[in-house]
Amino acid sequence: MKVYLDHGATTKPDVSVIRMMSRCMEDCFGNPSSLHSYGTEAASALEESRAAVASLIGSKSSEIIFTSGGTESDNLAIKGACYANRASGNHIITTTIEHPAVLNMYRQLEREGFLVTYLGVDAEGFVDIGQLRSAITGNTVLVSVMHANNEIGTVQDIAGIGKICREMGVLFHTDAVQSLTKVPIDVAAQDIDLLSVSAHKIYGPKGVGALFVRDGVKIARLMEGGSQEGKLRAGTENMPAIMGFACACGLSHRIDNVRGLRDRLLEGIRKRIPNVLVNGPADMERRLCNNLSVSFQGVEGEALLMMLDMRGIAVSTGSACSSKSLQPSHVLMAIGLPPQIAHGTLRFSLGKDNTLEEIDYTVEQLAQVVAILREMSPYRGDE
Ligand SMILES: *Cc1c(COP(=O)(O)O)cnc(C)c1O
């Protein structure tokens, strides 16, 4: 049996997405900037796609900028806001559990002279709103806090964070790559100024994403070129990918059964395997419906991952970006896990096509593999 449980890293494009993309390349190859009918046809497909993304987050179509993915959206939002608002201040705030796309950019901005506050999180990965409020100064221009964490699934109270930022006159950006379609997003009600999303985490193609920029919010562009995307993102639009992304936006209702499967996976693990620790919020309503992060005491996550892979099961040891280095995950460090426990951690991220049989198979294989590794290990799980 083949079981894919790494939807936090990427998802398999839905067949409807693939059809849409191939139809776009065959029938709708015009450049949206061209004035003839090929161009106007592509331009209207582009605007329809924009509306599809906007409808998922409650924005206007005109507030959506297409980019090459979540990473570019984060860069455009954060660097763009910092550079455009330098005259108002040079203090910016984020958290210690952000995706590298945000965290490494803040480190770069620090080298460029911005003052950065990295807010810590509690043992479940939550930002303290009072602490955020007191970190904001007259010199603060931007707060970036991710909506849902990609490793431990913590869903932040972004409405609460947005409200404070709005009250204090600071721009609020959120990376919603993991939460899009899984947690309700309403950029108006949640006081969000800038929001990043990506297609390949929601059954769309890789290499396309979007940035929501609230009307009236000033950001600087990062590339010079043509006047596409409201002059904020030059270059001929990637139409097949954009139309595939729009198509994927219509699939959002298909993840309804994921929560039940995730809960069954957890229940199975708890029943079959002793000495496990669940990372992230204990209240399952406050974490991503498809995420489960579990530490297996006395085993190495990498060894577990490899043995599961041989049995057809694909999981991750954290985020795809940090899994190739042997450093323990910065997110697991931030919630206070001791390094040796962090090293025995697996992230399971479920998707719309996973089945009950797959989950039961995974629990069975996991129980066997953990037992084998603990048998071999000098540090048993019970010590
Ligand atoms: C995957 C991911 C990104 C990066 O998106 P890409 O489209 O792969 O560049 C950014 N933030 C989070 C939280 C992610 O999970």
Side-chain angles (χ1 to χ4, degrees):
M1 189 180 267
K2 295 273 274 178
V3 187
Y4 185 76
L5 295 176
D6 201 12
H7 294 82
T10 196
T11 58
K12 181 182 177 186
D14 191 77
V15 281
S16 64
V17 168
I18 297 168
R19 292 218 181 93
M20 172 67 84
M21 292 178 72
S22 112
R23 226 177 43 228
C24 168
M25 284 187 278
E26 285 177 36
D27 303 336
C28 185
F29 65 88
N31 183 329
S33 299
S34 299
L35 296 178
H36 45 65
S37 61
Y38 294 87
T40 53
E41 214 172 281
S44 63
L46 176 61
E47 293 320 306
E48 272 172 42
S49 304
R50 214 183 291 289
V53 176
S55 74
L56 274 191
I57 61 169
S59 78
K60 290 186 244 168
S61 291
S62 59
E63 295 171 312
I64 299 294
I65 311 289
F66 284 113
T67 66
S68 67
T71 301
E72 188 189 334
S73 295
D74 286 340
N75 271 266
L76 181 56
I78 295 170
K79 282 189 191 154
C82 285
Y83 297 159
N85 296 285
R86 226 170 202 157
S88 317
N90 74 337
H91 177 231
I92 53 180
I93 299 174
T94 190
T95 79
T96 51
I97 61 162
E98 297 299 310
H99 188 273
V102 170
L103 215 45
N104 288 334
M105 196 166 15
Y106 267 77
R107 295 208 180 100
Q108 173 59 26
L109 288 164
E110 224 176 339
R111 288 190 286 271
E112 292 177 20
F114 286 89
L115 294 170
V116 177
T117 300
Y118 298 94
L119 294 172
V121 293
D122 68 15
E124 294 186 320
F126 289 107
V127 169
D128 182 310
I129 298 221
Q131 202 181 333
L132 168 67
R133 183 194 289 275
S134 46
I136 296 175
T137 70
N139 200 25
T140 310
V141 289
L142 175 74
V143 170
S144 181
V145 177
M146 72 197 311
H147 189 191
N149 184 266
N150 46 304
E151 293 188 37
I152 57 173
T154 309
V155 178
Q156 305 291 342
D157 172 16
I158 49 168
I161 295 169
K163 186 161 179 279
I164 286 173
C165 292
R166 186 60 54 86
E167 273 168 24
M168 304 191 71
V170 174
L171 291 176
F172 173 41
H173 166 255
T174 189
D175 176 331
V177 171
Q178 289 289 337
S179 59
L180 185 70
T181 73
K182 301 185 192 79
V183 188
I185 297 174
D186 182 334
V187 290
Q190 293 165 330
D191 291 324
I192 296 162
D193 296 307
L194 298 154
L195 177 137
S196 306
V197 293
S198 176
H200 77 97
K201 305 285 174 80
I202 63 161
Y203 310 98
K206 291 162 187 61
V208 64
L211 177 66
F212 156 76
V213 184
R214 173 179 299 289
D215 268 352
V217 167
K218 270 210 320 237
I219 62 169
R221 61 175 170 266
L222 304 181
M223 285 197 299
E224 297 304 325
S227 57
Q228 292 93 348
E229 300 299 298
K231 297 194 179 147
L232 287 176
R233 209 286 186 167
T236 302
E237 297 84 351
N238 183 354
M239 287 305 296
I242 287 171
M243 290 173 72
F245 184 11
C247 182
C249 288
L251 301 168
S252 53
H253 57 282
R254 303 233 190 126
I255 53 147
D256 294 347
N257 64 332
V258 159
R259 183 183 302 273
L261 291 180
R262 191 270 317 268
D263 293 347
R264 185 182 180 94
L265 175 61
L266 174 58
E267 195 188 322
I269 289 173
R270 282 203 167 124
K271 228 181 255 167
R272 297 287 310 275
I273 309 172
N275 299 309
V276 296
L277 182 72
V278 176
N279 304 304
D283 177 355
M284 299 310 256
E285 296 300 315
R286 297 182 76 194
R287 64 191 297 149
L288 278 179
C289 61
N290 71 329
N291 166 285
L292 191 62
S293 167
V294 182
S295 299
F296 300 88
Q297 283 180 48
V299 296
E300 289 289 337
E302 282 75 18
L304 258 180
L305 184 151
M306 295 304 170
M307 286 184 71
L308 288 173
D309 189 37
M310 287 193 281
R311 294 162 187 236
I313 300 166
V315 299
S316 153
T317 52
S319 74
C321 317
S322 55
S323 55
K324 283 190 180 153
S325 69
L326 285 174
Q327 285 289 322
S329 132
H330 70 283
V331 176
L332 298 177
M333 295 295 98
I335 60 170
L337 273 200
Q340 70 272 22
I341 305 254
H343 276 306
T345 302
L346 291 184
R347 176 191 69 178
F348 304 88
S349 44
L350 283 65
K352 67 179 174 68
D353 297 322
N354 286 132
T355 63
L356 205 95
E357 291 70 36
E358 290 178 351
I359 297 304
D360 292 347
Y361 173 76
T362 299
V363 170
E364 180 57 39
Q365 298 305 312
L366 197 55
Q368 289 180 17
V369 166
V370 169
I372 293 168
L373 288 173
R374 280 182 176 163
E375 197 54 46
M376 289 160 52
S377 161
Y379 312 102
R380 300 290 168 76
D382 51 11
E383 279 155 34

